[in-house]
Amino acid sequence: MTRHRVWRLPGDVDTDALAPGTWMQHGVDVIAQHCLEALRPDFAGGVQPGDVVVAGPNFGIGSSREQAAAVLRHLGVAAVIAPSYAGLFFRNAFNLGLLLLTCEQCERIAEGERIAFDARAGTVTRPGGETLQAQTIPAFLLDMVDAGGLLPQLQQRFQTRTAP
Amino acid sequence: MTRHRVWRLPGDVDTDALAPGTWMQHGVDVIAQHCLEALRPDFAGGVQPGDVVVAGPNFGIGSSREQAAAVLRHLGVAAVIAPSYAGLFFRNAFNLGLLLLTCEQCERIAEGERIAFDARAGTVTRPGGETLQAQTIPAFLLDMVDAGGLLPQLQQRFQTRTAP
């Protein structure tokens, strides 16, 4: 089972912390370099593909800017795990191919822990073997995330259908 | 400005309260008759088209069953107003044409109040004139709700495009 290194964040992380307003006129690659700089200045430079973000409640509150989810995916974040999300952030994230796990007990998880998760089973496993329950996500949404998001999934479908 | 009668609910209203498991083998019209019966037995019989639900945080937690949003729309609920929603419920609701307003201060609103709201401006107005801020929702999502949800909107678009 793949292990993922944890970046621990507090509750109420807003979209301006994820995609700072100062950089919004730039592309996702530039905004990503400033992701969470006010909260965790070590994040954008230190995060590795496959790492996960574990946060407190109301992750992604604030504006509806899609870049807030896009930068986490651009940086290779494998999943965000939090007890709750802002509705618009949740919607954007899955459309953009960023997996969000809703897990009430995730606040037990510590910075730097290496955890495993199974999105289809709805489980998060801590280093000592403790298993936390996450909300089950419908298969069609997980398929969309696996495809890289809504648009890549639609492109794949139409290509398959029109292939000779 | 249209006024909407308020049905006041607590926090953590789950999808099983909205669409009780006992009735899930039936259609939305039958499930709707049992909507919230464990929490507000007067709701399903008393709610009028145009009424609004004002609830506490985490509205729609629990399973991902779409009927939880579908029954509120079937009963003519004009909007749900709450400080926060479960992510999957939020996603389902807009797809099914049910408007959700995210409003931190909505807990001030009382049972039976007649309130107004402007989804495009992101405001909720109480009888005395007090205006509460709601999170701004992108226009394309409000257009989808106005069209009755994702599928009706797509149907309209394709009809328009293929019309002679």
Side-chain angles (χ1 to χ4, degrees):
Chain A
M1 202 156 31
T2 314
R3 292 274 162 184
H4 305 269
R5 184 174 56 148
V6 168
W7 293 80
R8 197 69 177 79
L9 297 177
D12 297 324
V13 171
D14 65 28
T15 53
D16 195 65
L18 293 162
T22 325
W23 302 94
M24 288 295 287
Q25 75 276 29
H26 295 276
V28 166
D29 52 338
V30 173
I31 304 172
Q33 295 169 29
H34 301 276
C35 178
L36 293 167
E37 66 188 358
L39 207 56
R40 285 292 301 263
D42 54 334
F43 181 76
V47 67
Q48 297 290 324
D51 287 357
V52 294
V53 167
V54 177
N58 300 318
F59 191 84
I61 54 170
S63 79
S64 62
R65 64 183 74 154
E66 286 197 330
Q67 291 90 337
V71 290
L72 292 176
R73 185 154 139 69
H74 182 83
L75 292 168
V77 168
V80 180
I81 305 172
S84 60
Y85 299 89
L88 287 168
F89 179 81
F90 190 92
R91 195 175 171 95
N92 289 337
F94 279 83
N95 285 350
L96 294 169
L98 176 67
L99 177 65
L100 307 184
L101 293 173
T102 303
C103 175
E104 280 191 24
Q105 305 160 307
C106 78
E107 306 229 38
R108 296 184 198 170
I109 300 170
E111 171 72 22
E113 259 187 38
R114 288 180 184 271
I115 61 168
F117 63 83
D118 182 333
R120 286 179 197 269
T123 56
V124 177
T125 308
R126 297 185 64 194
E130 183 191 12
T131 298
L132 312 177
Q133 291 304 306
Q135 189 183 17
T136 310
I137 298 165
F140 79 92
L141 275 181
L142 292 174
D143 292 344
M144 189 171 78
V145 167
D146 287 346
L150 179 59
L151 291 180
Q153 188 188 41
L154 290 174
Q155 280 163 352
Q156 283 170 30
R157 271 198 206 160
F158 284 108
Q159 276 167 8
T160 310
R161 225 177 259 178
T162 56
Chain B
M1 203 152 37
T2 314
R3 294 273 161 183
H4 304 269
R5 185 174 56 148
V6 167
W7 292 80
R8 197 69 178 79
L9 297 177
D12 297 324
V13 171
D14 66 27
T15 54
D16 196 65
L18 292 162
T22 325
W23 300 95
M24 288 296 286
Q25 75 277 28
H26 295 275
V28 167
D29 53 336
V30 173
I31 304 171
Q33 296 168 30
H34 302 276
C35 177
L36 294 167
E37 65 186 359
L39 207 55
R40 286 291 303 262
D42 54 335
F43 181 77
V47 67
Q48 297 290 323
D51 287 358
V52 294
V53 167
V54 176
N58 300 320
F59 192 84
I61 54 171
S63 80
S64 63
R65 63 183 74 155
E66 286 198 330
Q67 292 89 336
V71 290
L72 291 177
R73 185 155 139 69
H74 182 83
L75 292 168
V77 168
V80 179
I81 305 172
S84 60
Y85 299 89
L88 288 168
F89 179 81
F90 190 92
R91 196 176 170 94
N92 289 337
F94 280 84
N95 285 351
L96 294 168
L98 176 67
L99 177 65
L100 306 184
L101 293 173
T102 304
C103 175
E104 280 191 24
Q105 305 160 307
C106 78
E107 306 230 39
R108 298 184 196 171
I109 299 169
E111 170 72 21
E113 259 187 39
R114 288 179 184 271
I115 61 168
F117 63 82
D118 182 332
R120 287 180 196 267
T123 56
V124 177
T125 309
R126 297 185 65 195
E130 186 190 11
T131 299
L132 312 177
Q133 292 303 308
Q135 190 183 16
T136 309
I137 299 164
F140 80 91
L141 274 181
L142 291 175
D143 291 345
M144 189 171 79
V145 167
D146 287 346
L150 179 60
L151 290 181
Q153 188 189 40
L154 290 174
Q155 280 162 352
Q156 284 170 28
R157 271 199 204 158
F158 284 109
Q159 276 166 8
T160 310
R161 223 178 259 178
T162 57

